Amino acid sequence: MFVDKAEIFVKAGKGGDGRVSFRKEKYVPAGGPDGGDGGRGGSVIAIVDEGMRTLMDFRYLKKYIAENGENGMKKKMFGKDAKDLVFKVPPGTVIRDAETGRVLADLLKAGDSAVIARAGRGGRGNVHFKTATRQAPTFAEQGTYGEERSVILELKMLADVGLVGYPNVGKSTFLSATTMAKPKIANYHFTTLTPNLGVVEVIKGKSFVLADIPGLIEGASEGVGLGHEFLRHVERTRLIIHVVDVSGTEGRDPVEDFDKINLELERYSKLLTERIQVIAANKIDLLYEREGLDAFVEAMSSRGYKVFPISAATGEGIDALMHYVTEQLDTIEPPVIHEMVDSLADEAELDQTIRYRRHNELYVVEGLPMERLVYSTDFTDVESLRRFQEILRKSGVIDELRKMGVQDGDTVRIETVEFEFYD
């Protein structure tokens, strides 16, 4: 089964907690703190596997959760870092954040990889909190949680040339005539249910990948028919061969067919209108007279399109078309589909702003620095609470609350923790 879209949940591992420990050795009185740091959690990483062709694996396994880091140990020993969780995707996979739609990775070739969920860092042991006035700290930092998110995987085939057109215009026959691909072929609409790929080489040493996209019909961009599911595969192509039935056996006007399919491509993505199109006027072996063909060629040529009369069934005209396409590809750069977005910005690049607001009688303090402070504080330990208050004062939070008009007894919420304010 061909699967080209899937949604999965990824969760990176939590960092190990720092250890609260003191040296207890014979002949070493008042040995002091020796709690070690927690280990880093495991990140979730996607990597390209050239052997994969679909996203079938993600239809059944939808959760990818990395291991947590090990807690710190006594004698200043670090906890062990957790192993990263790596999952494989086929070439051409785009990974988006399901909530925001932001592109997290665009993985094109073998070996390409991206971190999709960043691991939590380990907490510091109590050895780090010893000061001249605090010789025996009884608290340590907890490890931070790893990132978690739902992501959407989309496979966009890495084909150089895409075949588009109405159903039953001969695209699959064309693919089988020009490549070693063996698509299912029959004389009825929607024979092709999934995209098919083949390699073309008419000029020695110059080959390209050709994709047969299931037939489009009017309204395809809005979900009508089957081809709309696979329009994304045309985005990667550098050139489009628009196959048109000029025999009239279906009772349709080839010019109208051409215009309707191009309208669907434009509605799906304006980028597709920028692709070079070459027209394959197919089924000339079924023509009784050439007047209709000549009129079609003249109409398309007047619009600036190159038209090749062909018969996919007999092979007539195909070599000339393939030679032309091969030469054109030498002059066309691969399209840039997505600008990479790095979801794992360096810590220094993260927003360090502390935000203040008033909600009715509640004073709210938010921001990444406050989130980390709250998470690293043990509110059951007196020394840890003193450190919490000291950091609030030094970072200017207390002064800012005073400017907002906070009074003794008012409720202040810092991230998830609420307490009464007393100066």
Side-chain angles (χ1 to χ4, degrees):
M1 183 180 293
F2 184 85
V3 179
D4 64 349
K5 191 171 184 178
E7 182 171 344
I8 62 173
F9 174 77
V10 296
K11 181 178 180 180
K14 173 184 174 296
D17 296 338
R19 177 71 176 263
V20 176
S21 176
F22 297 92
R23 291 179 65 184
K24 296 177 182 178
E25 300 176 30
K26 195 174 182 180
Y27 309 121
V28 184
D34 71 346
D37 299 349
R40 179 185 60 82
S43 295
V44 181
I45 300 173
I47 189 169
V48 171
D49 179 0
E50 276 191 317
M52 293 180 68
R53 287 292 175 264
T54 79
L55 299 174
M56 185 70 172
D57 292 354
F58 303 99
R59 193 169 179 184
Y60 305 104
L61 184 58
K62 291 184 173 289
K63 289 187 177 180
Y64 294 82
I65 301 175
E67 296 178 353
N68 296 332
E70 192 175 49
N71 293 336
M73 294 170 281
K74 55 187 179 180
K75 296 185 179 180
K76 301 181 183 179
M77 290 193 293
F78 287 9
K80 186 169 66 173
D81 291 343
K83 289 184 178 179
D84 293 331
L85 175 61
V86 179
F87 65 89
K88 297 177 180 179
V89 296
T93 299
V94 178
I95 303 178
R96 301 176 184 273
D97 186 288
E99 183 178 350
T100 65
R102 183 177 60 169
V103 177
L104 303 177
D106 191 358
L107 306 175
L108 297 175
K109 58 184 185 300
D112 281 359
S113 64
V115 180
I116 307 304
R118 177 175 49 191
R121 57 183 177 81
R124 293 179 294 172
N126 68 334
V127 69
H128 293 278
F129 300 101
K130 179 180 177 181
T131 66
T133 57
R134 186 171 57 217
Q135 293 291 310
T138 56
F139 63 92
E141 275 186 340
Q142 297 180 33
T144 60
Y145 283 103
E147 292 181 328
E148 59 180 86
R149 54 167 59 95
S150 290
V151 297
I152 294 174
L153 311 180
E154 283 186 348
L155 174 60
K156 299 187 178 184
M157 280 186 172
L158 298 179
D160 300 297
V161 179
L163 298 175
V164 301
Y166 260 87
N168 210 30
V169 294
K171 298 188 303 299
S172 295
T173 305
F174 182 92
L175 182 71
S176 65
T178 55
T179 73
M180 296 297 290
K182 301 298 179 187
K184 182 182 178 183
I185 299 171
N187 188 28
Y188 58 84
H189 293 174
F190 304 119
T191 308
T192 303
L193 300 179
T194 64
N196 292 303
L197 291 177
V199 178
V200 179
E201 185 176 16
V202 292
I203 300 177
K204 192 174 178 67
K206 291 186 177 182
S207 62
F208 62 86
V209 178
L210 179 65
D212 170 22
I213 309 301
L216 305 176
I217 60 175
E218 192 172 3
S221 60
E222 299 170 358
V224 179
L226 297 176
H228 72 282
E229 290 288 344
F230 305 107
L231 276 167
R232 69 175 65 92
H233 298 298
V234 187
E235 289 185 60
R236 299 284 196 193
T237 60
R238 290 187 281 163
L239 183 146
I240 294 173
I241 297 178
H242 197 138
V243 183
V244 179
D245 179 0
V246 294
S247 69
T249 54
E250 294 281 331
R252 298 193 307 266
D253 180 0
V255 175
E256 288 184 9
D257 282 3
F258 179 83
D259 290 337
K260 286 177 180 178
I261 296 302
N262 272 329
L263 181 60
E264 296 308 319
L265 295 177
E266 181 180 359
R267 285 175 175 170
Y268 177 77
S269 172
K270 292 287 185 182
L271 292 173
L272 296 182
T273 62
E274 301 172 5
R275 300 287 184 276
I276 294 176
Q277 282 196 36
V278 179
I279 301 175
N282 193 26
K283 301 190 179 181
I284 60 173
D285 55 306
L286 300 181
L287 288 173
Y288 292 104
E289 54 185 28
R290 294 185 62 91
E291 290 181 5
L293 173 61
D294 293 339
F296 176 75
V297 172
E298 184 178 348
M300 294 296 101
S301 298
S302 67
R303 300 187 192 183
Y305 292 105
K306 186 78 172 176
V307 184
F308 288 85
I310 69 162
S311 169
T314 66
E316 182 180 352
I318 286 181
D319 277 351
L321 170 57
M322 292 293 95
H323 272 84
Y324 178 80
V325 169
T326 303
E327 291 167 354
Q328 286 295 305
L329 288 175
D330 285 340
T331 66
I332 305 172
E333 291 293 326
V336 177
I337 306 301
H338 296 294
E339 182 176 338
M340 288 293 296
V341 178
D342 184 7
S343 64
L344 304 182
D346 291 337
E347 193 130 333
E349 297 175 6
L350 297 175
D351 186 4
Q352 302 291 332
T353 304
I354 300 175
R355 297 182 296 277
Y356 304 86
R357 60 187 174 89
R358 186 170 178 177
H359 180 68
N360 298 327
E361 298 302 315
L362 184 68
Y363 293 84
V364 181
V365 184
E366 299 170 315
L368 185 61
M370 293 297 99
E371 179 184 331
R372 289 175 175 166
L373 175 61
V374 167
Y375 193 75
S376 65
T377 300
D378 181 357
F379 290 97
T380 64
D381 183 86
V382 174
E383 289 191 21
S384 184
L385 276 171
R386 286 175 182 162
R387 172 178 173 268
F388 177 77
Q389 293 172 333
E390 183 182 347
I391 292 175
L392 290 181
R393 292 185 186 281
K394 287 184 176 179
S395 61
V397 172
I398 302 299
D399 290 339
E400 192 65 34
L401 288 171
R402 288 199 194 101
K403 291 178 184 177
M404 293 174 66
V406 70
Q407 301 293 324
D408 285 356
D410 288 345
T411 302
V412 176
R413 186 174 73 202
I414 299 182
E415 287 296 330
T416 58
V417 178
E418 292 188 6
F419 57 90
E420 291 185 354
F421 181 87
Y422 288 101
D423 200 351

